[in-house]
Amino acid sequence: MSTSTYFFPLLLSLVIISSVSANFQRDVEITWGDGRGQIKNNGELLTLSLDKSSGSGFQSKNEYLFGKIGMQMKLVPGNSAGTVTTLYLKSPGTTWDEIDFEFLGNSSGEPYTLHTNVYTQGKGDKEQQFKLWFDPTADFHTYTILWNPQRIIFTVDGTPIREFKNMESIGTLFPKNKPMRMYSSLWNADDWATRGGLVKTDWSKAPFTASYRGFNQEGCVWSNGKSSCPNGSKKGTTGSWLSQELDSTAQQRMRWVQRNYMIYNYCTDSKRFPQGLPKECLAA
């Protein structure tokens, strides 16, 4: 193992996005769970819980047509098998757009699976999955979706793990026309979540609880059919998130994560695509 490889995880662990002043009472609303979702500490903390009766969830009050949306999360500790904690952007309707973080729980001592996906017009099947290089249940970590007209970048504690570029020029769908809200939920999916549904939820460990703080929303807010950003959100000023891309250092960090922690990539699953890999995979 090279010296640079040895010290890289330490470097990554120190790269933390600073939290901004956020208030859940102002910025979100709990939408389901019959009291299992709670806002605490004068709006600085939010918790979601899951028991055998129900999970819980919340959504942003704002809709966005492009944005940089981040959240500090501490996931369900211990034996979280069968549980799914989510953070995602989604538009309404049957031909929806969606950008996903999904955290699939596991048995005690085993790492979570971080599942990412992108849907456009109701069509997804663009999964990449990762194991994390830290324990996401021991402390809060920041998960961010950057969505601009050119690309979608998924980051963990400021480290990019995935980039999905706008490749409409070769026929790949890209979400760019439908405003989306931020959603989060904690729910039971032991029919598929943990090892394909082989490991079931241990309800003796319930209630399961995930915690949230530091909701960071930089976005083009969509209201009454109009965007808060100039030029209809089509481009941003130099250096802003609306035109942000990965520099060489960020690309190196993303490659390191993908080389060491990616466990599934639809772009390498030739058995799934016997007629040939999707065009965006060949162009990447």
Side-chain angles (χ1 to χ4, degrees), residues 1-63:
M1 178 183 293
S2 68
T3 302
S4 61
T5 301
Y6 178 80
F7 284 108
F8 210 18
L10 176 60
L11 173 64
L12 293 179
S13 68
L14 297 176
V15 180
I16 307 293
I17 297 177
S18 61
S19 63
V20 299
S21 177
N23 188 294
F24 285 114
Q25 292 175 335
R26 178 191 64 217
D27 298 330
V28 309
E29 54 186 349
I30 296 173
T31 50
W32 63 284
D34 193 23
R36 293 172 181 82
Q38 297 184 4
I39 297 175
K40 305 176 180 179
N41 297 356
N42 296 315
E44 295 182 357
L45 180 71
L46 188 153
T47 60
L48 294 181
S49 292
L50 163 70
D51 59 30
K52 200 166 186 179
S53 297
S54 177
S56 49
F58 66 96
Q59 68 181 40
S60 63
K61 291 183 178 179
N62 287 331
E63 279 187 299

Side-chain angles (χ1 to χ4, degrees), residues 3 14 19 33 78 82 114 148 184 187 193 199 230 244 252 263 272:
T3 302
L14 297 176
S19 63
L114 172 52
N148 66 32
S184 185
W187 51 290
V199 183
Q244 185 174 335
Q252 180 185 8
I263 58 174
R272 182 175 170 185

Side-chain angles (χ1 to χ4, degrees), residues 7 14 24 49-50 77 86 101 106 150 163 173 181 190 224 229 236-237 246 254 262 271:
F7 284 108
L14 297 176
F24 285 114
S49 292
L50 163 70
T86 66
F101 274 123
N106 221 319
Q150 298 82 37
E163 179 182 28
L173 297 175
R181 291 188 192 274
D190 66 1
N224 297 319
C229 292
T237 58
L246 297 179
M254 182 175 68
M262 180 183 282
K271 292 182 179 179

Side-chain angles (χ1 to χ4, degrees), residues 65-66 219-221 226-235 241-242:
L65 187 59
F66 306 119
C220 298
V221 176
K226 296 182 179 180
S227 170
S228 64
C229 292
N231 304 318
S233 316
K234 296 305 181 186
K235 60 181 179 180
W241 61 265
L242 257 173

Side-chain angles (χ1 to χ4, degrees), residues 44-233:
E44 295 182 357
L45 180 71
L46 188 153
T47 60
L48 294 181
S49 292
L50 163 70
D51 59 30
K52 200 166 186 179
S53 297
S54 177
S56 49
F58 66 96
Q59 68 181 40
S60 63
K61 291 183 178 179
N62 287 331
E63 279 187 299
Y64 314 91
L65 187 59
F66 306 119
K68 184 178 182 180
I69 310 299
M71 185 79 74
Q72 294 182 23
M73 301 171 61
K74 182 163 63 172
L75 302 181
V76 174
N79 185 351
S80 57
T83 71
V84 177
T85 309
T86 66
L87 178 68
Y88 61 101
L89 301 176
K90 187 179 181 181
S91 67
T94 57
T95 55
W96 72 99
D97 293 348
E98 185 173 342
I99 306 169
D100 286 341
F101 274 123
E102 292 186 327
F103 304 86
L104 312 185
N106 221 319
S107 303
S108 298
E110 296 185 12
Y112 269 73
T113 295
L114 172 52
H115 177 98
T116 67
N117 206 343
V118 176
Y119 289 81
T120 310
Q121 298 177 25
K123 298 178 180 179
D125 300 329
K126 302 184 185 303
E127 302 97 332
Q128 289 184 357
Q129 295 182 342
F130 305 82
K131 299 296 185 184
L132 294 170
W133 53 90
F134 54 83
D135 179 358
T137 74
D139 203 351
F140 286 90
H141 292 268
T142 303
Y143 306 91
T144 303
I145 296 170
L146 185 149
W147 167 44
N148 66 32
Q150 298 82 37
R151 57 187 45 83
I152 296 164
I153 301 172
F154 298 81
T155 64
V156 176
D157 287 342
T159 296
I161 65 170
R162 178 179 185 180
E163 179 182 28
F164 185 82
K165 294 181 179 179
N166 185 338
M167 295 188 183
E168 290 179 307
S169 60
I170 61 172
T172 298
L173 297 175
F174 186 85
K176 67 172 189 177
N177 296 316
K178 298 179 180 180
M180 297 194 265
R181 291 188 192 274
M182 183 279 298
Y183 296 88
S184 185
S185 59
L186 173 59
W187 51 290
N188 177 49
D190 66 1
D191 56 335
W192 64 268
T194 304
R195 293 179 58 198
L198 294 177
V199 183
K200 301 301 181 182
T201 302
D202 181 356
W203 292 110
S204 71
K205 307 297 183 183
F208 303 97
T209 301
S211 301
Y212 302 77
R213 69 185 188 190
F215 176 31
N216 184 356
Q217 48 175 335
E218 300 176 68
C220 298
V221 176
W222 188 262
S223 180
N224 297 319
K226 296 182 179 180
S227 170
S228 64
C229 292
N231 304 318
S233 316

